Amino acid sequence: MSAPAQPAASQIGLVDAQLVEEALSLIAPKWTTWSAQTLAQQDGPMRVRDVAARLPFVSEQFVGKRLAQMHDDGLVVRAGDRHGAPYQLSGFGSALSPVHRVLADWSHAHLPLGRVAGAERVEDAVRRLHLRHSTAVIHALDAGGPMRFVHIAEQAGLDNSFTRQRLIRLQLDGLVTRTGPRHGDPYVLTAAGRALGPVYAAIEHWSNPVAAPRPAPVRVAAATRTHTGIPPGSDGIRTSAALRRSTAAPSSLFSHAPQPQPRVPVAVAAQSASSRGR
């Protein structure tokens, strides 16, 4: 089987892979996009309970943890020092809007997700991109593909075992494929992988510390656990199922905003109400 043609030059090769991955780690935790876009459409301070009321498929406790992590990462600020003071987006957090838009556009063009909410689409896209050294592997393939995995490892500066694991995950996520069925056949980027240049460029631009000074990130265990995808328990499963089942949930929910935030459909809220307070 002949390998898909690779472009001679790409925007992917112009970005700093490490900077992109550091930026992705800030927006990768589950419910970060939902929380940020809820605050953006409110356009003012919101208490944890008010944010949770807009996201009835997430427990209020988890919303509080996510907002606290976003505060540590500089995405939100608090309107006061007292306990329970409301949150609002910082300048750094507000600047996420173009990043969300380009992630949603890339997903619409290349990922067969069907009818899902805009914020869910963005979070799915980030889940595929944020894993450690994924950007370096894609960078290597963009520059020299098709490539055997040992050459990818050498180019990306990774050990062979880790590179193989990362390639398996990138294949599952639809960003990388092999040029043939045999063991040892070279790898190449898919159309979705080759189209990542504008996505990476938007993320790198957003993360520029000169444009938006922010506090040094502080990691917490809860956020780290969510980096691998949908968190343990029923929240993530219930959300995904509810948003896909409900014909009342528009795919534009929380996307390409500056429109007023649509309310979560009653059907979705009813299906998810049992998760509140977990």
Side-chain angles (χ1 to χ4, degrees):
M1 178 185 294
S2 60
Q6 294 280 84
S10 167
Q11 199 172 1
I12 293 174
L14 301 179
V15 303
D16 183 323
Q18 182 176 349
L19 190 62
V20 167
E21 289 195 354
E22 289 173 354
L24 283 168
S25 72
L26 300 181
I27 58 178
K30 187 68 175 172
W31 310 119
T32 297
T33 298
W34 287 93
S35 299
Q37 294 193 7
T38 299
L39 290 168
Q41 294 196 3
Q42 173 69 17
D43 194 26
M46 296 182 73
R47 298 185 185 280
V48 171
R49 65 173 177 266
D50 297 324
V51 177
R54 301 286 185 94
L55 307 174
F57 35 76
V58 193
S59 70
E60 184 173 322
Q61 182 182 24
F62 200 92
V63 171
K65 290 180 178 179
R66 181 54 64 241
L67 288 169
Q69 176 64 36
M70 292 170 68
H71 182 267
D72 288 340
D73 288 339
L75 299 175
V76 299
V77 294
R78 303 196 75 164
D81 297 328
R82 67 189 184 282
H83 178 72
Y87 290 94
Q88 65 186 71
L89 290 174
S90 64
F92 187 47
S94 296
L96 267 175
S97 180
V99 176
H100 288 168
R101 185 174 296 110
V102 75
L103 282 163
D105 288 345
W106 173 76
S107 174
H108 272 293
H110 298 287
L111 303 181
L113 298 183
R115 187 177 177 85
V116 298
E120 186 79 353
R121 184 175 288 279
V122 171
E123 292 208 344
D124 176 85
V126 175
R127 178 192 62 79
R128 296 168 192 259
L129 300 178
H130 87 278
L131 291 179
R132 186 165 169 261
H133 299 312
S134 292
T135 312
V137 171
I138 291 171
H139 206 294
L141 278 170
D142 178 71
M147 297 174 72
R148 299 183 187 277
F149 92 91
V150 291
H151 298 141
I152 297 170
E154 181 181 359
Q155 183 70 23
L158 307 172
D159 67 57
N160 289 351
S161 176
F162 183 90
T163 303
R164 190 185 295 277
Q165 294 174 14
R166 189 54 73 239
L167 284 166
I168 290 172
R169 175 61 184 269
L170 289 169
Q171 281 183 279
L172 291 173
D173 286 338
L175 305 180
V176 167
T177 189
R178 299 182 80 159
T179 57
R182 297 175 302 174
H183 177 74
D185 281 332
Y187 291 86
V188 68
L189 294 177
T190 63
R194 293 194 303 271
L196 281 170
V199 176
Y200 286 153
I203 294 167
E204 183 182 45
H205 178 74
W206 169 72
S207 69
N208 184 345
V210 175
R214 61 193 187 277
V218 178
R219 300 284 172 248
V220 296
T224 302
R225 284 197 297 272
T226 63
H227 282 192
T228 58
I230 294 176
S234 62
D235 277 349
I237 297 170
R238 202 176 262 124
T239 305
S240 183
L243 288 171
R244 284 171 171 80
R245 282 199 303 268
S246 175
T247 57
S251 61
S252 60
L253 182 65
F254 293 117
S255 67
H256 295 77
Q259 300 175 356
Q261 176 179 327
R263 295 289 179 179
V264 177
V266 174
V268 176
Q271 290 167 353
S272 309
S274 61
S275 70
R276 179 60 59 83
R278 287 179 182 262

